[in-house]
Amino acid sequence: MNFSADIGTVKGVGKVRADGFRSLGVATIGELLRFYPRAYEDWSSILPIERCPIGENVCIKGTLLYPLKNDRVRGGMLIAKGSVTDGDSIVSVTFFNNKYIPSMLKSGEEYLFYGKITLGKYAAREMVSPMFIPVRQSKAILPIYHQNPKITSRQIRSALENVLADKTEIPEFLPSYILEKYSLVSLDTAIRQIHFPESAEILQRARERLIFDELFLLQLSLMRLKNTNKTVKTDNKIKIDYTDEYFKLLPFEPTNAQKKAVKAAVADMQSGKQMNRLLQGDVGSGKTAVAAALVYVCTKNGIQSALMAPTEVLAVQHFETFTSLFASAGITCELLTGSTKAVDKKRIKERLKNGEIDLIIGTHALIQDDVEFSRLGLVITDEQHRFGVKQRTGLCSKGKNPHVYVMSATPIPRTLALILFGDLDVSVLDELPPGRQKTVTYAVSSKKRRGMFDYIKSYLDKGFQGYIVCPLVEESENITGVQNVEEYYEKAKNTVFKDYSLGLLHGKMTPKKKDEIMSDFKSGKIQLLISTVVIEVGVDVPNAVIMVIENAERFGLSQLHQLRGRVGRGTQMSTCILVTDSSSEDTVRRMNIMCSTTDGFKIADEDLRLRGPGDFFGTRQHGLPRLRIADLMTDSKILNETQELAGEITRTDPNFTKNEHIKIGRQVNKKINSLGNTAAANTI
Ligand code: ADP
Ligand code: MG
């Protein structure tokens, strides 16, 4: 078996089929073998007709009662109907447009039929176009593959039958000590059985082995990338640590978690190697102050920094924070966003290139081609889950091996953090600044709105501020019971809250208008902000202590958590009210979780459980590698085992030089190559 041989060399695969295979990402025999079935037809558990569940695929064994005959009906279609009995019950079978069916299915002979049973007139059982095979040819379990208009599951199956007719053993790459320790079947068994399993038991063993391979190799590859990253030399070495000087600038005492995070990052940058570090911290944990420390230290060492934020509102906020913090320190900051005026843009770009700017803060505008630096050595991305891979690497390529600091407010469950950021070092802010109160959360129905408004007023009267969040609703999208942000604002302004100053904020406003509103809210000029989720990310107004989320059922758990994080940022106890009239099981569950905990990790875990990893991370843009067979949610046992083993090998034999590891090393290299762009997501 030559694994690298072209798919076209397989018996029965001509030019057209070969193209079909390529459209599925299968170009070689090796890739064909790794193209696992998506499901199976189980011909091995034969059910009595009487006991077959309706509407599900089942396999029955029966005899055709009388010969089939094709009738031609209107439109020229051929129909053959017959009756099949298993001795106790009868099911009628129907076939369409098959000239040969009367000669293929003979009365009096026993066949296996596979398909769905439905109930027809008078509750008679029917099978429409079932698959069938004579009993003596019975195959236990048959694979079903993902197909597309160019190639069918059946064609894929037959290509695999042809390839696997060669009984030469598929070479093993795992040493026997690993096979034994984790009681894994051989690769040969696993590959053959995953396609054509002899029993449900052996299929399970095959799956376990292949899941093991997938997770093991992935983690080894990520760990190797991390080691490689650690050896990337950089000129942006920090010579003098100015951290203590920086801490004196802060209007508050840094938390221990913040100190630890700064220390770890500075140590990375002092090593002479490139830093690649992720800062994880729940909303409100004080990530900005950590980022500012790194900027300060870099600037004092003559290195330029860039900070990229996902929204304009957030970029402006950072700009204000940094300029006021660094006012006395002689650090030059500028802001560059899509709405910066052309003249200013030109001036800023020039000064950036000449090295007259120490820190540039901005949005995606920073990635544009004509943005150049004199000595970019530190790249920070805030709320990184909002960025695609290209955007981050784009910014990094503007410097020479700049240090990379990624900040994320989406708590990532531990099991996944390693897969997603396996090659980044991680700091965690696991401590909130002192004096923070838990935000109390309630879920209420819209009937309570009147009382709720009174409650909000009582806070506004005391000088506090608040948010009301509504889902974004397009005019065309007239859904009853959903609050449209603009209407809501008009109504509130003219009725209940007519004696208060209100602001409206949504994504379709011009950036300038948004800034105006945000700064009026920050300064206290606006008491109550009616907004869409544009405020979801990062906005910091400690005086805002009350948040209402209308149509809370329309938001996911992590999003609700982010939104709620906009309050509870000062020393005053805050309240979050979730308004929903939905009583679906899913909504009730989400509301209960929100009301019972403010722990971001717990919420992320639940969110992941409810939505699955793909949705959780917004599918692929976050560098979550596509897995063929493993499932990060259900295969956590194997995930843990392989994580441990990969860690051990990385420590004891990082270059796979031991005899028993040489073949693993080859697989890892292949994996790293195949990770391609996805790996770049992890390496940035
Ligand atoms: P996030 O981690 O969500 O980005 P921020 O950096 O915006 O959080 O900080 C949240 C709030 O906490 C800000 O108002 C900030 O000034 C304040 N803060 C940060 N660190 C401390 C600290 N050590 N002591 C007191 N307040 C702090
Ligand atoms: Mg933040």
Side-chain angles (χ1 to χ4, degrees):
M1 233 182 270
N2 176 2
F3 299 114
S4 51
D6 189 89
I7 189 72
T9 62
V10 176
K11 194 172 127 210
V13 177
K15 199 178 159 329
V16 177
R17 271 190 206 180
D19 282 345
F21 272 113
R22 284 193 197 97
S23 69
L24 287 170
V26 174
T28 64
I29 290 181
E31 283 162 357
L32 177 64
L33 292 174
R34 294 281 183 181
F35 191 79
Y36 307 132
R38 69 169 171 84
Y40 298 86
E41 286 160 15
D42 186 356
W43 297 75
S44 70
S45 37
I46 295 157
L47 287 180
I49 295 171
E50 200 62 52
R51 292 210 343 248
C52 286
I54 303 302
E56 282 172 34
N57 280 323
V58 291
C59 183
I60 60 167
K61 181 156 80 176
T63 315
L64 194 64
L65 284 175
Y66 47 86
L68 290 174
K69 187 167 92 34
N70 262 323
D71 287 326
R72 198 168 286 278
V73 293
R74 249 187 314 153
M77 183 161 67
L78 287 176
I79 291 189
K81 272 184 181 290
S83 293
V84 168
T85 180
D86 62 0
D88 292 319
S89 321
I90 291 182
V91 62
S92 78
V93 291
T94 312
F95 297 92
F96 297 102
N97 287 330
N98 187 339
K99 262 201 298 205
Y100 306 105
I101 197 79
S103 58
M104 289 162 74
L105 254 183
K106 300 205 175 76
S107 73
E109 280 185 30
E110 224 179 13
Y111 296 89
L112 293 181
F113 295 88
Y114 184 93
K116 288 191 176 76
I117 293 190
T118 52
L119 292 182
K121 248 189 223 161
Y122 312 114
R125 288 187 168 75
E126 300 178 342
M127 263 181 153
V128 175
S129 314
M131 292 183 277
F132 59 88
I133 43 174
V135 163
R136 60 195 142 73
Q137 279 184 21
S138 71
K139 281 236 161 89
I141 303 174
L142 286 180
I144 307 172
Y145 298 91
H146 277 291
Q147 51 185 19
N148 66 20
K150 289 185 177 161
I151 191 154
T152 66
S153 172
R154 213 175 261 260
Q155 290 164 343
I156 299 169
R157 185 195 294 171
S158 100
L160 273 154
E161 271 167 350
N162 288 335
V163 169
L164 291 174
D166 178 349
K167 297 292 174 203
T168 338
E169 191 176 338
I170 297 169
E172 184 57 73
F173 69 90
L174 288 180
S176 52
Y177 86 90
I178 293 180
L179 293 176
E180 274 159 31
K181 179 163 179 198
Y182 299 97
S183 44
L184 300 169
V185 296
S186 71
L187 185 61
D188 184 71
T189 305
I191 295 274
R192 290 178 191 278
Q193 296 293 329
I194 200 78
H195 292 293
F196 300 107
E198 280 156 17
S199 69
E201 291 72 38
I202 187 77
L203 172 60
Q204 183 53 26
R205 303 285 314 273
R207 278 182 51 82
E208 279 167 16
R209 163 68 205 252
L210 297 174
I211 292 167
F212 188 96
D213 284 6
E214 181 163 51
L215 295 175
F216 180 53
L217 291 176
L218 177 62
Q219 301 191 74
L220 272 177
S221 310
L222 291 173
M223 289 175 191
R224 189 167 172 84
L225 281 173
K226 179 165 164 176
N227 278 343
T228 319
N229 283 346
K230 282 212 168 114
T231 60
V232 176
K233 287 216 180 76
T234 175
D235 294 334
N236 304 304
K237 184 176 168 173
I238 296 299
K239 304 211 172 67
I240 304 173
D241 178 5
Y242 291 93
T243 309
D244 289 333
E245 203 175 289
Y246 164 79
F247 282 147
K248 285 189 202 121
L249 282 182
L250 283 176
F252 44 71
E253 179 67 18
T255 63
N256 283 327
Q258 284 170 321
K259 284 187 203 158
K260 227 166 92 185
V262 173
K263 201 168 166 190
V266 171
D268 289 351
M269 296 192 290
Q270 283 176 319
S271 70
K273 308 278 159 52
Q274 188 186 23
M275 166 174 75
N276 278 287
R277 191 170 276 276
L278 168 75
L279 178 65
Q280 273 205 59
D282 210 345
V283 282
S285 57
K287 293 184 287 293
T288 317
V290 175
L294 310 192
V295 172
Y296 188 90
V297 173
C298 280
T299 307
K300 295 286 163 182
N301 280 275
I303 294 166
Q304 273 184 315
S305 311
L307 169 62
M308 186 160 67
T311 64
E312 183 118 13
V313 168
L314 200 56
V316 172
Q317 173 181 291
H318 277 319
F319 179 67
E320 284 164 2
T321 311
F322 280 84
T323 34
S324 79
L325 183 64
F326 290 155
S328 60
I331 294 177
T332 324
C333 302
E334 286 285 359
L335 178 68
L336 188 69
T337 70
S339 59
T340 309
K341 280 201 216 96
V343 272
D344 292 334
K345 260 188 200 158
K346 192 158 172 266
R347 180 181 49 86
I348 291 172
K349 283 175 190 166
E350 216 130 88
R351 295 183 60 217
L352 200 57
K353 201 172 158 185
N354 295 338
E356 292 163 43
I357 294 172
D358 302 315
L359 167 65
I360 185 86
I361 296 176
T363 53
H364 309 98
L366 294 181
I367 317 169
Q368 279 156 4
D369 283 343
D370 57 349
V371 178
E372 292 170 65
F373 292 79
S374 98
R375 197 190 162 185
L376 177 65
L378 173 65
V379 168
I380 303 176
T381 52
D382 192 15
E383 312 289 348
Q384 73 82 35
H385 62 291
R386 291 291 171 120
F387 287 110
V389 175
K390 284 207 185 96
Q391 293 159 333
R392 278 177 281 142
T393 38
L395 188 51
C396 291
S397 65
K398 292 178 184 293
K400 262 202 223 141
N401 300 333
H403 299 297
V404 178
Y405 205 62
V406 174
M407 301 199 284
S408 172
T410 309
I412 296 156
R414 263 160 278 278
T415 40
L416 279 189
L418 245 135
I419 295 283
L420 262 177
F421 299 113
D423 59 337
L424 293 185
D425 294 308
V426 180
S427 292
V428 181
L429 292 185
D430 49 6
E431 178 187 8
L432 292 180
R436 288 281 168 80
Q437 305 259 1
K438 272 222 171 89
T439 300
V440 182
T441 305
Y442 307 100
V444 303
S445 80
S446 63
K447 287 199 199 92
K448 297 275 171 67
R449 210 173 267 137
R450 187 183 290 264
M452 185 176 84
F453 286 151
D454 287 337
Y455 186 76
I456 297 176
K457 283 182 195 169
S458 73
Y459 276 92
L460 301 186
D461 289 340
K462 280 183 230 156
F464 291 112
Q465 291 164 282
Y467 302 94
I468 297 182
V469 180
C470 301
L472 177 71
V473 183
E474 300 287 339
E475 274 160 44
S476 57
E477 193 192 355
N478 209 342
I479 310 169
T480 40
V482 174
Q483 305 294 326
N484 181 318
V485 71
E486 280 169 314
E487 281 169 28
Y488 197 102
Y489 168 73
E490 288 301 328
K491 208 164 143 198
K493 194 175 68 171
N494 296 317
T495 59
V496 239
F497 292 106
K498 64 176 184 309
D499 300 327
Y500 298 83
S501 74
L502 264 58
L504 170 68
L505 185 73
H506 60 73
K508 279 186 245 154
M509 294 172 149
T510 63
K512 193 163 160 273
K513 184 82 191 150
K514 277 192 268 184
D515 283 354
E516 243 172 69
I517 302 282
M518 266 329 289
S519 67
D520 283 352
F521 187 60
K522 273 192 185 173
S523 70
K525 213 157 113 192
I526 292 173
Q527 292 175 285
L528 182 63
L529 188 63
I530 317 277
S531 166
T532 59
V533 290
V534 288
I535 54 136
E536 175 196 346
V537 172
V539 169
D540 183 42
V541 181
N543 191 45
V545 299
I546 186 149
M547 169 167 287
V548 170
I549 303 176
E550 292 280 0
N551 294 106
E553 75 280 355
R554 288 175 65 110
F555 301 100
L557 267 179
S558 292
Q559 202 175 21
L560 288 171
H561 179 65
Q562 287 289 321
L563 281 167
R564 181 171 61 183
R566 300 308 109 218
V567 295
R569 300 172 81 83
T571 48
Q572 167 72 26
M573 189 200 83
S574 296
T575 312
C576 176
I577 303 175
L578 308 168
V579 185
T580 180
D581 289 331
S582 159
S583 54
S584 81
E585 201 180 308
D586 180 52
T587 306
V588 171
R589 196 155 155 209
R590 270 181 289 157
M591 298 307 128
N592 283 343
I593 295 162
M594 286 302 293
C595 295
S596 63
T597 183
T598 51
D599 180 337
F601 279 98
K602 259 194 209 150
I603 290 171
D605 262 336
E606 275 300 324
D607 202 13
L608 194 62
R609 198 162 308 149
L610 289 174
R611 292 200 288 166
D615 287 338
F616 183 81
F617 294 107
T619 46
R620 304 208 53 231
Q621 73 158 338
H622 306 298
L624 192 66
R626 193 201 297 271
L627 296 172
R628 279 170 184 268
I629 190 163
D631 178 328
L632 295 174
M633 292 312 293
T634 50
D635 299 323
S636 57
K637 182 171 165 268
I638 303 182
L639 183 62
N640 288 333
E641 282 173 359
T642 49
Q643 212 159 78
E644 213 170 275
L645 180 64
E648 193 179 303
I649 293 181
T650 305
R651 269 190 309 278
T652 53
D653 187 18
N655 296 318
F656 309 103
T657 45
K658 284 190 191 157
N659 253 339
E660 67 259 39
H661 295 153
I662 289 176
K663 287 186 189 142
I664 295 180
R666 269 184 224 138
Q667 297 285 331
V668 168
N669 284 338
K670 255 197 236 160
K671 185 93 190 176
I672 290 178
N673 288 335
S674 78
L675 282 173
N677 280 333
T678 316
N682 293 296
T683 46
I684 45 156

